[in-house]
Amino acid sequence: QYTQSSPAPSMGNTYMDLLGARLLAKNIDQLAEVQTADALKGKYVALYFSASWCPPCRAFTPVLRKLYLLCTAKKIPLEIVFVSSDKNVDEFKEYFLQHMPWLAVPYENSAARQALSRKVGVMGIPTLCIIDPEGNMINSNARAAVIKDPECAKFPWAGQQESALAGYGPALLMALLFAVYYLWKHFA
């Protein structure tokens, strides 16, 4: 668990390389470039895979914004980086500039956006994952952990992953039972 007296080690290279040399920041109502290494040094990084056209994303973004502003006020070393799945640069800019106080991978850097998505194993959006300052993935599915901790008390939410199968309960069990029965019947 993070404490304010914890040392802030430097972030590893794997995700830094995939993010690229520059990220976008919001400067009033304009986009400004920042150096990735400088902006993320010594911080936990939340990669936020989202898009303006996605209703669950539009519902989660205000929750994440509130949490981010609270973490910033508490001087918790967290930076969020938006990795867009928007359909075009105009949708990206509008969504980012109107709703997000954090950083973003430039929309034009589709190679970085795709590589990050593959590396993280994004299966759908919104997806939020947490990387520690050393560059290790500590939570590949942090959305539920963040929702359950609006005061940042359990930051950095290491190991509090939402199951990718959450919410499928009975249907998943029935499908598994059917698969076992089918295999037993046809191959036993």
Side-chain angles (χ1 to χ4, degrees):
Q1 177 129 351
Y2 166 78
T3 61
Q4 284 189 316
S5 61
S6 299
S10 62
M11 188 170 178
N13 291 328
T14 307
Y15 289 98
M16 291 288 283
D17 289 343
L18 293 176
L19 284 167
R22 292 182 182 82
L23 295 171
L24 295 178
K26 187 164 49 173
N27 184 4
I28 307 174
D29 288 331
Q30 299 291 319
L31 297 176
E33 286 189 347
V34 296
Q35 295 294 316
T36 303
D38 295 339
L40 304 181
K41 184 178 182 181
K43 294 183 179 180
Y44 287 84
V45 177
L47 296 176
Y48 181 41
F49 297 85
S50 181
S52 62
W53 52 262
C54 166
C57 298
R58 293 191 71 85
F60 181 63
T61 298
V63 173
L64 189 59
R65 177 187 171 93
K66 185 176 179 182
L67 180 112
Y68 177 79
L69 295 173
L70 179 63
C71 286
T72 302
K74 289 184 170 185
K75 300 194 183 329
I76 292 174
L78 172 69
E79 187 56 66
I80 298 174
V81 178
F82 172 44
V83 184
S84 177
S85 293
D86 281 302
K87 296 175 184 170
N88 60 57
V89 71
D90 293 329
E91 288 178 6
F92 160 78
K93 284 181 182 177
E94 181 180 340
Y95 189 41
F96 179 62
L97 288 172
Q98 289 184 9
H99 302 284
M100 301 178 184
W102 45 75
L103 303 175
V105 173
Y107 186 83
E108 295 78 11
N109 193 348
S110 61
R113 293 184 295 117
Q114 291 170 4
L116 285 163
S117 183
R118 279 192 306 274
K119 174 95 175 143
V120 170
V122 172
M123 300 295 284
I125 55 174
T127 293
L128 183 72
C129 60
I130 310 293
I131 300 164
D132 71 14
E134 290 90 18
N136 303 306
M137 177 75 64
I138 60 171
N139 191 329
S140 61
N141 197 356
R143 186 172 59 153
V146 164
I147 290 170
K148 292 176 187 173
D149 185 28
E151 299 300 318
C152 308
K154 296 180 181 176
F155 176 85
W157 310 290
Q160 301 175 39
Q161 289 169 223
E162 168 185 24
S163 169
L165 303 176
Y168 292 104
L172 181 62
L173 180 59
M174 289 303 294
L176 288 172
L177 288 173
F178 177 77
V180 169
Y181 174 77
Y182 177 84
L183 292 171
W184 174 74
K185 196 74 167 159
H186 294 291
F187 297 105

